[in-house]
């Protein structure tokens, strides 16, 4: 039998990669792993208990919030508050950031940003959901955290990851030295290393986009979508970013959420969704850009709930999309001149 490596064992082993590590990041990652197990338990039994349904409250971006979102948000906040390693939290479900007063004399140096339950429109229909997180070192010296601690570029991420509540539950994370995936073994209640050093294929068989919004895309994007179909690529779209990006990481392909006429800046959030997922995709050898062709991780956030268009995935496919869109935009300019 192969030696089982649990998430906790792996995180502790990997601490050696950072010679001056104090164990705080290790503790924080373990706490997120624990929160993931608690959320997973609830996600799994959601059909059995009366937890489904809308709360009839809106989240900070004005969208309908569902009960399980709130549960996941509260559990994550609870675990991070107790950890003692985290001095501030920003969640997609909260309008502003939450400072965490330091425990006893300890002064924590990390802030955590997360989307507690990604794909919430899929809750009621038993389709996979996710949790996305990113960890930054605070930039303010001491005392209570400030907005600038959260408005950092993605290229400053110390670690990022996601939990995928799918046919099995997986936690995938990176501390900037490759990407590793762990599958929850429910019989022992542990995440076990199942996907060592995930590397995205250079190209892949799928494009992933909500094609129902086709009429709201700009012309060059519409042409690119036709081009994907002409190439014989398969269309795969779950509507949970974590799931769509996870498939893209493992099988190769391209995931796109472009700007649309109803969401001119894109729909997905830079801090809570795009930065952590872009960090992982790049760590796995892929690329992540906006539809304005900027590298996502180099974008300077100006507000917590900022949105962006995004395209990420296999490096050759993102490169090809860039070339295609540049040409299509140039042709459009000539035609309208
Ligand atoms: P959420 O965090 O409120 O669930 O919204 C984000 C989700 C992503 O997971 C997914 O890629 C996208 O929204 C789906 O949007 P659409 O229904 O417009 O395709
Ligand atoms: Mg989300």
């Amino acid at each position: 039998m192969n030696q089982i490596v649990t998430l906790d064992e792996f995180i502790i082993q990997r601490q050696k990669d950072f010679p001056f590590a104090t164990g705080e990041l290790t503790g924080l990652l373990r706490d997120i792993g624990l929160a993931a197990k608690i959320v997973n338990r609830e996600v799994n039994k959601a059909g059995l208990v009366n937890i489904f349904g809308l709360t009839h409250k809106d989240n900070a971006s004005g969208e309908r919030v569902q009960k399980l979102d709130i549960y996941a948000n509260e559990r994550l906040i609870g675990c991070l508050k107790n950890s003692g390693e985290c001095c501030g939290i920003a969640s997609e479900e909260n309008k502003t950031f939450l400072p965490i007063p330091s425990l006893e004399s300890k002064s924590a140096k990390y802030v955590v940003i997360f989307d507690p339950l990604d794909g919430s429109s899929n809750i009621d229909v038993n389709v996979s959901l996710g949790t996305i997180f990113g960890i930054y070192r605070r930039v303010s010296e001491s005392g209570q955290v400030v907005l600038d601690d959260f408005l950092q570029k993605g290229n400053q991420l110390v670690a990022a990851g996601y939990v995928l509540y799918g046919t099995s539950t997986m936690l995938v994370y990176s501390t900037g030295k490759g990407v590793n995936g762990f599958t929850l073994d429910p019989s022992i209640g542990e995440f076990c290393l199942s996907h060592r050093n995930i590397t995205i294929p250079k190209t892949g068989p799928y494009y992933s986009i909500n094609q129902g919004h086709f009429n709201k895309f700009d012309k060059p994007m519409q042409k690119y979508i036709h081009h994907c179909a002409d190439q014989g690529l398969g269309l795969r779209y779950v509507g949970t970013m974590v799931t769509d990006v996870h498939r893209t990481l493992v099988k190769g392909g391209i995931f796109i959420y472009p700007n649309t006429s109803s969401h001119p800046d894109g729909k997905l959030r830079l801090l809570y969704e795009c930065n952590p997922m872009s960090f992982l995709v790049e760590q796995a050898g892929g690329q992540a850009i906006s539809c304005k062709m900027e590298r996502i991780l180099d974008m300077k956030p100006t507000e917590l709930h900022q949105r962006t268009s995004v395209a990420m995935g296999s490096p050759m496919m993102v490169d090809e999309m860039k070339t295609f869109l540049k040409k299509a935009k140039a042709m459009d300019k000539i035609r309208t001149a």
Side-chain angles (χ1 to χ4, degrees):
M1 196 175 108
N2 285 340
Q3 172 83 33
I4 292 173
V5 180
T6 68
L7 175 65
D8 286 359
E9 285 168 348
F10 187 86
I11 291 171
I12 291 166
Q13 280 170 20
R14 281 298 165 103
Q15 193 179 319
K16 295 185 204 113
D17 289 347
F18 302 90
F20 302 106
T22 55
E24 287 169 75
L25 180 61
T26 304
L28 203 46
L29 288 166
R30 291 174 70 180
D31 290 333
I32 292 172
L34 173 64
K37 284 191 225 172
I38 298 172
V39 174
N40 176 65
R41 191 184 58 197
E42 245 21 65
V43 167
N44 275 323
K45 68 179 188 200
L48 301 172
V49 293
N50 187 22
I51 203 164
F52 275 158
L54 300 171
T55 59
H56 302 296
K57 281 187 195 154
D58 289 344
N59 72 8
S61 304
E63 290 152 345
R64 264 304 140 93
V65 175
Q66 301 193 272
K67 275 185 186 172
L68 213 47
D69 297 37
I70 294 176
Y71 181 86
N73 198 35
E74 284 172 358
R75 289 290 80 72
L76 272 150
I77 292 173
C79 284
L80 291 168
K81 267 189 176 166
N82 287 335
S83 83
E85 323 291 2
C86 172
C87 53
I89 294 169
S91 160
E92 191 189 294
E93 296 299 342
N94 294 91
K95 211 175 185 116
T96 188
F97 61 87
L98 309 170
I100 301 179
S102 49
L103 292 175
E104 293 147 11
S105 60
K106 214 169 176 191
S107 53
K109 58 175 182 263
Y110 294 108
V111 297
V112 182
I113 294 184
F114 58 81
D115 176 356
L117 206 61
D118 177 55
S120 44
S121 68
N122 280 328
I123 295 174
D124 281 352
V125 287
N126 203 8
V127 172
S128 59
L129 305 166
T131 294
I132 306 174
F133 64 89
I135 303 175
Y136 293 90
R137 201 179 270 264
R138 68 183 294 178
V139 289
S140 56
E141 294 284 312
S142 57
Q144 193 161 298
V145 283
V146 295
L147 184 60
D148 279 347
D149 291 320
F150 299 92
L151 296 183
Q152 298 192 50
K153 291 183 184 175
N155 60 25
Q156 296 304 305
L157 277 162
V158 173
Y162 60 79
V163 186
L164 169 57
Y165 311 101
T167 41
S168 52
T169 298
M170 281 193 73
L171 188 149
V172 175
Y173 86 99
S174 172
T175 51
K177 290 184 186 289
V179 182
N180 290 283
F182 301 79
T183 302
L184 184 64
D185 181 340
S187 66
I188 55 170
E190 293 283 356
F191 283 106
C192 301
L193 181 60
S194 53
H195 295 60
R196 195 185 277 275
N197 200 17
I198 297 173
T199 308
I200 191 167
K202 297 253 175 291
T203 185
Y206 303 124
Y207 70 112
S208 183
I209 188 167
N210 187 339
Q211 208 150 318
H213 298 318
F214 187 87
N215 291 339
K216 296 182 189 168
F217 299 155
D218 53 30
K219 282 268 159 337
M221 184 53 74
Q222 289 182 340
K223 283 186 188 159
Y224 175 71
I225 297 308
H226 282 311
H227 169 71
C228 289
D230 289 345
Q231 282 179 305
L233 294 177
L235 172 61
R236 293 283 187 280
Y237 191 74
V238 173
T240 295
M241 183 192 198
V242 169
T243 312
D244 285 316
V245 173
H246 178 73
R247 182 196 53 252
T248 305
L249 271 180
V250 175
K251 298 244 182 198
I254 187 163
F255 167 82
I256 314 164
Y257 204 110
N259 46 296
T260 62
S261 49
S262 51
H263 287 93
D265 297 321
K267 176 191 170 188
L268 299 178
R269 288 78 166 176
L270 175 61
L271 268 70
Y272 307 106
E273 293 161 329
C274 296
N275 270 338
M277 298 309 269
S278 300
F279 180 80
L280 291 161
V281 166
E282 284 201 6
Q283 280 295 315
Q287 286 192 41
I289 58 170
S290 75
C291 294
K292 290 181 185 157
M293 311 294 152
E294 310 148 279
R295 180 183 178 224
I296 293 285
L297 296 182
D298 287 341
M299 289 171 67
K300 174 72 184 128
T302 52
E303 49 172 316
L304 287 176
H305 291 274
Q306 186 168 332
R307 296 175 192 262
T308 178
S309 57
V310 68
M312 60 174 74
S314 293
M316 283 168 68
M317 293 175 80
V318 177
D319 269 340
E320 204 243 357
M321 186 196 87
K322 276 192 232 168
T323 313
F324 188 99
L325 288 182
K326 267 185 202 155
K327 237 194 223 163
K329 279 179 188 168
M331 276 164 68
D332 248 26
K333 252 191 195 158
I334 295 170
R335 202 171 307 118
T336 51

